[in-house]
Amino acid sequence: MTNLFQFPVDREASSAAKVRALEALLIEKGVIGSDSVDAVLEHFETMAGPFNGAKIVARAWVDPAFKQRLVADTPAAIAELDLPPGMAGAEGEHMAAVANDEAVHNLIICTLCSCYPWPVLGLPPYWYKDPVFRARGVREPRAVLKEFGVEVPAAKEVKVWDSSAQIRWFVVPERPANTDHLSETQLAALVTPESMMGVALVASPAAA
Ligand code: FE
């Protein structure tokens, strides 16, 4: 899906080069320490990321009562789990979960900029900030979903949730078939960040 919105193919390498130059300059001028960037990276590798969201989704799949609480009061339900500290911290103050089911498919977006639930999903992918994605996701969500490979049946409703500084949405995808024998940890390993944004389904392990 990397070229969905026609970015130059060297976009990642070019951004990385700019970031390295900026980092070197900031360190040289004493604005940040040489360990500052490492600390931020470690935070997103170990504390805030889609590995947290995957645990939340897996719990919702195995525990219907938890799923109900998660949708009703997302921060309170998340606080029940053994997750790293900071689930209500930066960019996660007001998170809200919406659950896919047989009648509804949910898609999250930020029409204004790139608001995203950092504690449970980490940092948003670059295409999430793309003006084309943001505009088309609202105007023709079914067409955009189809380009991501998700064909939502006509009988199924598509709901688009606009994240903002006040509220940050994430999706509890549907549990795939042929997963009755899996443990909660094995289930969490199936859950992708894209599925928690609503631009992908969670694949059944038998079909993978
Ligand atoms: Fe935003």
Side-chain angles (χ1 to χ4, degrees), residues 131-161:
V132 176
F133 172 73
R134 285 153 38 200
R136 288 189 58 217
V138 175
R139 290 165 61 184
E140 45 175 3
R142 285 176 190 272
V144 170
L145 286 168
K146 195 173 174 182
E147 287 169 41
F148 274 98
V150 178
E151 285 215 48
V152 183
K156 197 173 216 181
E157 183 183 2
V158 173
K159 286 188 180 174
V160 181
W161 301 88

PDB file of all heavy atoms in Angstrom, residues 131-161:
ATOM      1  N   PRO A 131      -3.270  14.623   2.515  1.00  0.00           N
ATOM      2  CA  PRO A 131      -4.535  15.344   2.303  1.00  0.00           C
ATOM      3  C   PRO A 131      -5.513  14.560   1.424  1.00  0.00           C
ATOM      4  O   PRO A 131      -6.731  14.673   1.606  1.00  0.00           O
ATOM      5  CB  PRO A 131      -4.100  16.632   1.593  1.00  0.00           C
ATOM      6  CG  PRO A 131      -2.652  16.792   1.922  1.00  0.00           C
ATOM      7  CD  PRO A 131      -2.102  15.412   2.102  1.00  0.00           C
ATOM      8  N   VAL A 132      -4.993  13.771   0.501  1.00  0.00           N
ATOM      9  CA  VAL A 132      -5.874  13.000  -0.378  1.00  0.00           C
ATOM     10  C   VAL A 132      -6.593  11.906   0.423  1.00  0.00           C
ATOM     11  O   VAL A 132      -7.801  11.722   0.313  1.00  0.00           O
ATOM     12  CB  VAL A 132      -5.076  12.382  -1.546  1.00  0.00           C
ATOM     13  CG1 VAL A 132      -5.988  11.509  -2.405  1.00  0.00           C
ATOM     14  CG2 VAL A 132      -4.436  13.484  -2.387  1.00  0.00           C
ATOM     15  N   PHE A 133      -5.837  11.189   1.260  1.00  0.00           N
ATOM     16  CA  PHE A 133      -6.455  10.168   2.108  1.00  0.00           C
ATOM     17  C   PHE A 133      -7.507  10.803   3.016  1.00  0.00           C
ATOM     18  O   PHE A 133      -8.630  10.294   3.161  1.00  0.00           O
ATOM     19  CB  PHE A 133      -5.385   9.451   2.945  1.00  0.00           C
ATOM     20  CG  PHE A 133      -5.962   8.517   3.979  1.00  0.00           C
ATOM     21  CD1 PHE A 133      -6.532   7.312   3.611  1.00  0.00           C
ATOM     22  CD2 PHE A 133      -5.935   8.855   5.332  1.00  0.00           C
ATOM     23  CE1 PHE A 133      -7.083   6.454   4.562  1.00  0.00           C
ATOM     24  CE2 PHE A 133      -6.485   8.011   6.287  1.00  0.00           C
ATOM     25  CZ  PHE A 133      -7.052   6.801   5.896  1.00  0.00           C
ATOM     26  N   ARG A 134      -7.152  11.929   3.621  1.00  0.00           N
ATOM     27  CA  ARG A 134      -8.053  12.581   4.583  1.00  0.00           C
ATOM     28  C   ARG A 134      -9.346  13.048   3.911  1.00  0.00           C
ATOM     29  O   ARG A 134     -10.429  12.956   4.491  1.00  0.00           O
ATOM     30  CB  ARG A 134      -7.336  13.742   5.265  1.00  0.00           C
ATOM     31  CG  ARG A 134      -6.331  13.268   6.307  1.00  0.00           C
ATOM     32  CD  ARG A 134      -5.186  14.238   6.543  1.00  0.00           C
ATOM     33  NE  ARG A 134      -5.621  15.621   6.499  1.00  0.00           N
ATOM     34  CZ  ARG A 134      -4.812  16.652   6.301  1.00  0.00           C
ATOM     35  NH1 ARG A 134      -3.519  16.450   6.134  1.00  0.00           N
ATOM     36  NH2 ARG A 134      -5.276  17.870   6.276  1.00  0.00           N
ATOM     37  N   ALA A 135      -9.217  13.554   2.689  1.00  0.00           N
ATOM     38  CA  ALA A 135     -10.407  14.055   1.998  1.00  0.00           C
ATOM     39  C   ALA A 135     -11.236  12.897   1.427  1.00  0.00           C
ATOM     40  O   ALA A 135     -12.455  12.827   1.620  1.00  0.00           O
ATOM     41  CB  ALA A 135      -9.991  15.006   0.881  1.00  0.00           C
ATOM     42  N   ARG A 136     -10.557  11.985   0.743  1.00  0.00           N
ATOM     43  CA  ARG A 136     -11.293  10.898   0.097  1.00  0.00           C
ATOM     44  C   ARG A 136     -11.859   9.910   1.117  1.00  0.00           C
ATOM     45  O   ARG A 136     -12.909   9.305   0.890  1.00  0.00           O
ATOM     46  CB  ARG A 136     -10.386  10.154  -0.890  1.00  0.00           C
ATOM     47  CG  ARG A 136     -10.068  10.960  -2.145  1.00  0.00           C
ATOM     48  CD  ARG A 136      -9.348  10.094  -3.163  1.00  0.00           C
ATOM     49  NE  ARG A 136     -10.144   8.930  -3.521  1.00  0.00           N
ATOM     50  CZ  ARG A 136      -9.638   7.717  -3.755  1.00  0.00           C
ATOM     51  NH1 ARG A 136      -8.336   7.511  -3.678  1.00  0.00           N
ATOM     52  NH2 ARG A 136     -10.422   6.719  -4.066  1.00  0.00           N
ATOM     53  N   GLY A 137     -11.155   9.745   2.240  1.00  0.00           N
ATOM     54  CA  GLY A 137     -11.625   8.814   3.258  1.00  0.00           C
ATOM     55  C   GLY A 137     -13.001   9.187   3.777  1.00  0.00           C
ATOM     56  O   GLY A 137     -13.795   8.324   4.148  1.00  0.00           O
ATOM     57  N   VAL A 138     -13.291  10.481   3.775  1.00  0.00           N
ATOM     58  CA  VAL A 138     -14.593  10.953   4.239  1.00  0.00           C
ATOM     59  C   VAL A 138     -15.608  10.926   3.103  1.00  0.00           C
ATOM     60  O   VAL A 138     -16.749  10.513   3.280  1.00  0.00           O
ATOM     61  CB  VAL A 138     -14.472  12.395   4.796  1.00  0.00           C
ATOM     62  CG1 VAL A 138     -15.840  12.939   5.155  1.00  0.00           C
ATOM     63  CG2 VAL A 138     -13.555  12.408   6.012  1.00  0.00           C
ATOM     64  N   ARG A 139     -15.177  11.356   1.916  1.00  0.00           N
ATOM     65  CA  ARG A 139     -16.130  11.504   0.804  1.00  0.00           C
ATOM     66  C   ARG A 139     -16.486  10.173   0.170  1.00  0.00           C
ATOM     67  O   ARG A 139     -17.621   9.973  -0.265  1.00  0.00           O
ATOM     68  CB  ARG A 139     -15.563  12.451  -0.246  1.00  0.00           C
ATOM     69  CG  ARG A 139     -15.526  13.882   0.254  1.00  0.00           C
ATOM     70  CD  ARG A 139     -14.643  14.752  -0.605  1.00  0.00           C
ATOM     71  NE  ARG A 139     -15.096  14.817  -1.992  1.00  0.00           N
ATOM     72  CZ  ARG A 139     -14.433  15.461  -2.952  1.00  0.00           C
ATOM     73  NH1 ARG A 139     -13.301  16.075  -2.665  1.00  0.00           N
ATOM     74  NH2 ARG A 139     -14.902  15.511  -4.176  1.00  0.00           N
ATOM     75  N   GLU A 140     -15.534   9.277   0.062  1.00  0.00           N
ATOM     76  CA  GLU A 140     -15.800   7.988  -0.593  1.00  0.00           C
ATOM     77  C   GLU A 140     -15.043   6.870   0.124  1.00  0.00           C
ATOM     78  O   GLU A 140     -14.152   6.242  -0.453  1.00  0.00           O
ATOM     79  CB  GLU A 140     -15.438   8.041  -2.074  1.00  0.00           C
ATOM     80  CG  GLU A 140     -14.098   8.712  -2.368  1.00  0.00           C
ATOM     81  CD  GLU A 140     -13.738   8.617  -3.849  1.00  0.00           C
ATOM     82  OE1 GLU A 140     -14.545   8.096  -4.633  1.00  0.00           O
ATOM     83  OE2 GLU A 140     -12.616   9.021  -4.200  1.00  0.00           O
ATOM     84  N   PRO A 141     -15.436   6.635   1.394  1.00  0.00           N
ATOM     85  CA  PRO A 141     -14.694   5.649   2.187  1.00  0.00           C
ATOM     86  C   PRO A 141     -14.692   4.246   1.569  1.00  0.00           C
ATOM     87  O   PRO A 141     -13.682   3.543   1.656  1.00  0.00           O
ATOM     88  CB  PRO A 141     -15.402   5.658   3.543  1.00  0.00           C
ATOM     89  CG  PRO A 141     -16.749   6.271   3.292  1.00  0.00           C
ATOM     90  CD  PRO A 141     -16.534   7.245   2.167  1.00  0.00           C
ATOM     91  N   ARG A 142     -15.785   3.866   0.928  1.00  0.00           N
ATOM     92  CA  ARG A 142     -15.818   2.513   0.341  1.00  0.00           C
ATOM     93  C   ARG A 142     -14.789   2.367  -0.776  1.00  0.00           C
ATOM     94  O   ARG A 142     -14.140   1.328  -0.902  1.00  0.00           O
ATOM     95  CB  ARG A 142     -17.213   2.197  -0.202  1.00  0.00           C
ATOM     96  CG  ARG A 142     -18.217   1.884   0.892  1.00  0.00           C
ATOM     97  CD  ARG A 142     -19.614   1.664   0.317  1.00  0.00           C
ATOM     98  NE  ARG A 142     -20.572   1.598   1.397  1.00  0.00           N
ATOM     99  CZ  ARG A 142     -20.892   0.464   2.035  1.00  0.00           C
ATOM    100  NH1 ARG A 142     -20.362  -0.675   1.669  1.00  0.00           N
ATOM    101  NH2 ARG A 142     -21.747   0.490   3.032  1.00  0.00           N
ATOM    102  N   ALA A 143     -14.652   3.421  -1.589  1.00  0.00           N
ATOM    103  CA  ALA A 143     -13.678   3.375  -2.687  1.00  0.00           C
ATOM    104  C   ALA A 143     -12.255   3.331  -2.129  1.00  0.00           C
ATOM    105  O   ALA A 143     -11.401   2.569  -2.610  1.00  0.00           O
ATOM    106  CB  ALA A 143     -13.861   4.588  -3.593  1.00  0.00           C
ATOM    107  N   VAL A 144     -11.989   4.130  -1.094  1.00  0.00           N
ATOM    108  CA  VAL A 144     -10.656   4.138  -0.483  1.00  0.00           C
ATOM    109  C   VAL A 144     -10.358   2.775   0.146  1.00  0.00           C
ATOM    110  O   VAL A 144      -9.276   2.217  -0.035  1.00  0.00           O
ATOM    111  CB  VAL A 144     -10.539   5.271   0.566  1.00  0.00           C
ATOM    112  CG1 VAL A 144      -9.271   5.144   1.376  1.00  0.00           C
ATOM    113  CG2 VAL A 144     -10.592   6.631  -0.129  1.00  0.00           C
ATOM    114  N   LEU A 145     -11.348   2.222   0.854  1.00  0.00           N
ATOM    115  CA  LEU A 145     -11.158   0.911   1.478  1.00  0.00           C
ATOM    116  C   LEU A 145     -10.867  -0.154   0.438  1.00  0.00           C
ATOM    117  O   LEU A 145     -10.011  -1.020   0.630  1.00  0.00           O
ATOM    118  CB  LEU A 145     -12.390   0.538   2.310  1.00  0.00           C
ATOM    119  CG  LEU A 145     -12.529   1.291   3.637  1.00  0.00           C
ATOM    120  CD1 LEU A 145     -13.911   1.073   4.239  1.00  0.00           C
ATOM    121  CD2 LEU A 145     -11.444   0.854   4.611  1.00  0.00           C
ATOM    122  N   LYS A 146     -11.541  -0.069  -0.696  1.00  0.00           N
ATOM    123  CA  LYS A 146     -11.332  -1.039  -1.762  1.00  0.00           C
ATOM    124  C   LYS A 146      -9.887  -0.961  -2.264  1.00  0.00           C
ATOM    125  O   LYS A 146      -9.255  -1.980  -2.556  1.00  0.00           O
ATOM    126  CB  LYS A 146     -12.318  -0.771  -2.905  1.00  0.00           C
ATOM    127  CG  LYS A 146     -12.441  -1.906  -3.886  1.00  0.00           C
ATOM    128  CD  LYS A 146     -13.563  -1.633  -4.882  1.00  0.00           C
ATOM    129  CE  LYS A 146     -13.584  -2.721  -5.948  1.00  0.00           C
ATOM    130  NZ  LYS A 146     -14.618  -2.471  -6.967  1.00  0.00           N
ATOM    131  N   GLU A 147      -9.347   0.265  -2.346  1.00  0.00           N
ATOM    132  CA  GLU A 147      -7.956   0.418  -2.791  1.00  0.00           C
ATOM    133  C   GLU A 147      -6.987  -0.181  -1.769  1.00  0.00           C
ATOM    134  O   GLU A 147      -5.884  -0.590  -2.113  1.00  0.00           O
ATOM    135  CB  GLU A 147      -7.632   1.898  -3.031  1.00  0.00           C
ATOM    136  CG  GLU A 147      -8.305   2.430  -4.291  1.00  0.00           C
ATOM    137  CD  GLU A 147      -8.238   3.943  -4.416  1.00  0.00           C
ATOM    138  OE1 GLU A 147      -7.174   4.517  -4.102  1.00  0.00           O
ATOM    139  OE2 GLU A 147      -9.248   4.552  -4.816  1.00  0.00           O
ATOM    140  N   PHE A 148      -7.396  -0.199  -0.508  1.00  0.00           N
ATOM    141  CA  PHE A 148      -6.572  -0.847   0.516  1.00  0.00           C
ATOM    142  C   PHE A 148      -6.783  -2.362   0.517  1.00  0.00           C
ATOM    143  O   PHE A 148      -6.141  -3.069   1.284  1.00  0.00           O
ATOM    144  CB  PHE A 148      -6.926  -0.300   1.905  1.00  0.00           C
ATOM    145  CG  PHE A 148      -6.184   0.952   2.293  1.00  0.00           C
ATOM    146  CD1 PHE A 148      -6.766   2.194   2.150  1.00  0.00           C
ATOM    147  CD2 PHE A 148      -4.891   0.881   2.805  1.00  0.00           C
ATOM    148  CE1 PHE A 148      -6.091   3.348   2.513  1.00  0.00           C
ATOM    149  CE2 PHE A 148      -4.208   2.029   3.176  1.00  0.00           C
ATOM    150  CZ  PHE A 148      -4.806   3.267   3.022  1.00  0.00           C
ATOM    151  N   GLY A 149      -7.722  -2.844  -0.284  1.00  0.00           N
ATOM    152  CA  GLY A 149      -7.967  -4.280  -0.352  1.00  0.00           C
ATOM    153  C   GLY A 149      -9.113  -4.751   0.516  1.00  0.00           C
ATOM    154  O   GLY A 149      -9.289  -5.950   0.721  1.00  0.00           O
ATOM    155  N   VAL A 150      -9.891  -3.794   1.049  1.00  0.00           N
ATOM    156  CA  VAL A 150     -11.036  -4.170   1.888  1.00  0.00           C
ATOM    157  C   VAL A 150     -12.326  -3.861   1.131  1.00  0.00           C
ATOM    158  O   VAL A 150     -12.681  -2.691   0.947  1.00  0.00           O
ATOM    159  CB  VAL A 150     -11.024  -3.395   3.229  1.00  0.00           C
ATOM    160  CG1 VAL A 150     -12.247  -3.769   4.073  1.00  0.00           C
ATOM    161  CG2 VAL A 150      -9.744  -3.673   3.997  1.00  0.00           C
ATOM    162  N   GLU A 151     -13.000  -4.881   0.677  1.00  0.00           N
ATOM    163  CA  GLU A 151     -14.277  -4.685  -0.009  1.00  0.00           C
ATOM    164  C   GLU A 151     -15.393  -4.870   1.000  1.00  0.00           C
ATOM    165  O   GLU A 151     -15.656  -5.980   1.451  1.00  0.00           O
ATOM    166  CB  GLU A 151     -14.426  -5.675  -1.164  1.00  0.00           C
ATOM    167  CG  GLU A 151     -13.555  -5.285  -2.347  1.00  0.00           C
ATOM    168  CD  GLU A 151     -14.204  -5.622  -3.685  1.00  0.00           C
ATOM    169  OE1 GLU A 151     -15.396  -5.291  -3.874  1.00  0.00           O
ATOM    170  OE2 GLU A 151     -13.510  -6.218  -4.518  1.00  0.00           O
ATOM    171  N   VAL A 152     -16.044  -3.765   1.357  1.00  0.00           N
ATOM    172  CA  VAL A 152     -17.129  -3.847   2.331  1.00  0.00           C
ATOM    173  C   VAL A 152     -18.423  -4.126   1.575  1.00  0.00           C
ATOM    174  O   VAL A 152     -18.784  -3.370   0.678  1.00  0.00           O
ATOM    175  CB  VAL A 152     -17.246  -2.520   3.121  1.00  0.00           C
ATOM    176  CG1 VAL A 152     -18.337  -2.641   4.178  1.00  0.00           C
ATOM    177  CG2 VAL A 152     -15.910  -2.165   3.770  1.00  0.00           C
ATOM    178  N   PRO A 153     -19.115  -5.218   1.933  1.00  0.00           N
ATOM    179  CA  PRO A 153     -20.374  -5.545   1.243  1.00  0.00           C
ATOM    180  C   PRO A 153     -21.361  -4.381   1.335  1.00  0.00           C
ATOM    181  O   PRO A 153     -21.375  -3.643   2.331  1.00  0.00           O
ATOM    182  CB  PRO A 153     -20.897  -6.757   2.029  1.00  0.00           C
ATOM    183  CG  PRO A 153     -19.724  -7.311   2.762  1.00  0.00           C
ATOM    184  CD  PRO A 153     -18.788  -6.164   3.002  1.00  0.00           C
ATOM    185  N   ALA A 154     -22.183  -4.227   0.283  1.00  0.00           N
ATOM    186  CA  ALA A 154     -23.118  -3.102   0.224  1.00  0.00           C
ATOM    187  C   ALA A 154     -24.061  -3.070   1.428  1.00  0.00           C
ATOM    188  O   ALA A 154     -24.468  -2.002   1.886  1.00  0.00           O
ATOM    189  CB  ALA A 154     -23.919  -3.171  -1.072  1.00  0.00           C
ATOM    190  N   ALA A 155     -24.380  -4.254   1.943  1.00  0.00           N
ATOM    191  CA  ALA A 155     -25.324  -4.324   3.063  1.00  0.00           C
ATOM    192  C   ALA A 155     -24.683  -3.886   4.384  1.00  0.00           C
ATOM    193  O   ALA A 155     -25.368  -3.674   5.383  1.00  0.00           O
ATOM    194  CB  ALA A 155     -25.848  -5.746   3.199  1.00  0.00           C
ATOM    195  N   LYS A 156     -23.365  -3.775   4.384  1.00  0.00           N
ATOM    196  CA  LYS A 156     -22.666  -3.406   5.617  1.00  0.00           C
ATOM    197  C   LYS A 156     -22.446  -1.895   5.647  1.00  0.00           C
ATOM    198  O   LYS A 156     -22.032  -1.298   4.655  1.00  0.00           O
ATOM    199  CB  LYS A 156     -21.309  -4.135   5.663  1.00  0.00           C
ATOM    200  CG  LYS A 156     -20.656  -4.174   7.026  1.00  0.00           C
ATOM    201  CD  LYS A 156     -19.413  -5.070   6.984  1.00  0.00           C
ATOM    202  CE  LYS A 156     -19.262  -5.815   8.280  1.00  0.00           C
ATOM    203  NZ  LYS A 156     -18.089  -6.669   8.345  1.00  0.00           N
ATOM    204  N   GLU A 157     -22.719  -1.300   6.782  1.00  0.00           N
ATOM    205  CA  GLU A 157     -22.543   0.142   6.935  1.00  0.00           C
ATOM    206  C   GLU A 157     -21.062   0.476   7.143  1.00  0.00           C
ATOM    207  O   GLU A 157     -20.345  -0.262   7.818  1.00  0.00           O
ATOM    208  CB  GLU A 157     -23.361   0.631   8.145  1.00  0.00           C
ATOM    209  CG  GLU A 157     -23.314   2.128   8.346  1.00  0.00           C
ATOM    210  CD  GLU A 157     -24.077   2.608   9.588  1.00  0.00           C
ATOM    211  OE1 GLU A 157     -24.623   1.752  10.332  1.00  0.00           O
ATOM    212  OE2 GLU A 157     -24.096   3.818   9.828  1.00  0.00           O
ATOM    213  N   VAL A 158     -20.605   1.580   6.553  1.00  0.00           N
ATOM    214  CA  VAL A 158     -19.253   2.078   6.827  1.00  0.00           C
ATOM    215  C   VAL A 158     -19.388   3.329   7.681  1.00  0.00           C
ATOM    216  O   VAL A 158     -20.098   4.272   7.308  1.00  0.00           O
ATOM    217  CB  VAL A 158     -18.495   2.412   5.519  1.00  0.00           C
ATOM    218  CG1 VAL A 158     -17.163   3.076   5.843  1.00  0.00           C
ATOM    219  CG2 VAL A 158     -18.264   1.145   4.691  1.00  0.00           C
ATOM    220  N   LYS A 159     -18.715   3.328   8.824  1.00  0.00           N
ATOM    221  CA  LYS A 159     -18.706   4.521   9.680  1.00  0.00           C
ATOM    222  C   LYS A 159     -17.297   5.093   9.696  1.00  0.00           C
ATOM    223  O   LYS A 159     -16.334   4.361   9.933  1.00  0.00           O
ATOM    224  CB  LYS A 159     -19.138   4.173  11.108  1.00  0.00           C
ATOM    225  CG  LYS A 159     -20.624   3.915  11.257  1.00  0.00           C
ATOM    226  CD  LYS A 159     -21.018   3.776  12.732  1.00  0.00           C
ATOM    227  CE  LYS A 159     -22.515   3.527  12.867  1.00  0.00           C
ATOM    228  NZ  LYS A 159     -22.896   3.236  14.276  1.00  0.00           N
ATOM    229  N   VAL A 160     -17.185   6.386   9.467  1.00  0.00           N
ATOM    230  CA  VAL A 160     -15.892   7.070   9.479  1.00  0.00           C
ATOM    231  C   VAL A 160     -15.825   7.934  10.732  1.00  0.00           C
ATOM    232  O   VAL A 160     -16.744   8.697  11.014  1.00  0.00           O
ATOM    233  CB  VAL A 160     -15.722   7.943   8.216  1.00  0.00           C
ATOM    234  CG1 VAL A 160     -14.363   8.631   8.224  1.00  0.00           C
ATOM    235  CG2 VAL A 160     -15.882   7.098   6.955  1.00  0.00           C
ATOM    236  N   TRP A 161     -14.729   7.760  11.481  1.00  0.00           N
ATOM    237  CA  TRP A 161     -14.573   8.475  12.753  1.00  0.00           C
ATOM    238  C   TRP A 161     -13.432   9.475  12.620  1.00  0.00           C
ATOM    239  O   TRP A 161     -12.308   9.093  12.283  1.00  0.00           O
ATOM    240  CB  TRP A 161     -14.291   7.483  13.884  1.00  0.00           C
ATOM    241  CG  TRP A 161     -15.396   6.488  14.014  1.00  0.00           C
ATOM    242  CD1 TRP A 161     -15.517   5.300  13.364  1.00  0.00           C
ATOM    243  CD2 TRP A 161     -16.568   6.608  14.826  1.00  0.00           C
ATOM    244  NE1 TRP A 161     -16.680   4.671  13.715  1.00  0.00           N
ATOM    245  CE2 TRP A 161     -17.344   5.443  14.609  1.00  0.00           C
ATOM    246  CE3 TRP A 161     -17.035   7.576  15.713  1.00  0.00           C
ATOM    247  CZ2 TRP A 161     -18.565   5.232  15.259  1.00  0.00           C
ATOM    248  CZ3 TRP A 161     -18.243   7.360  16.359  1.00  0.00           C
ATOM    249  CH2 TRP A 161     -19.000   6.203  16.136  1.00  0.00           C
TER     250      TRP A 161
END
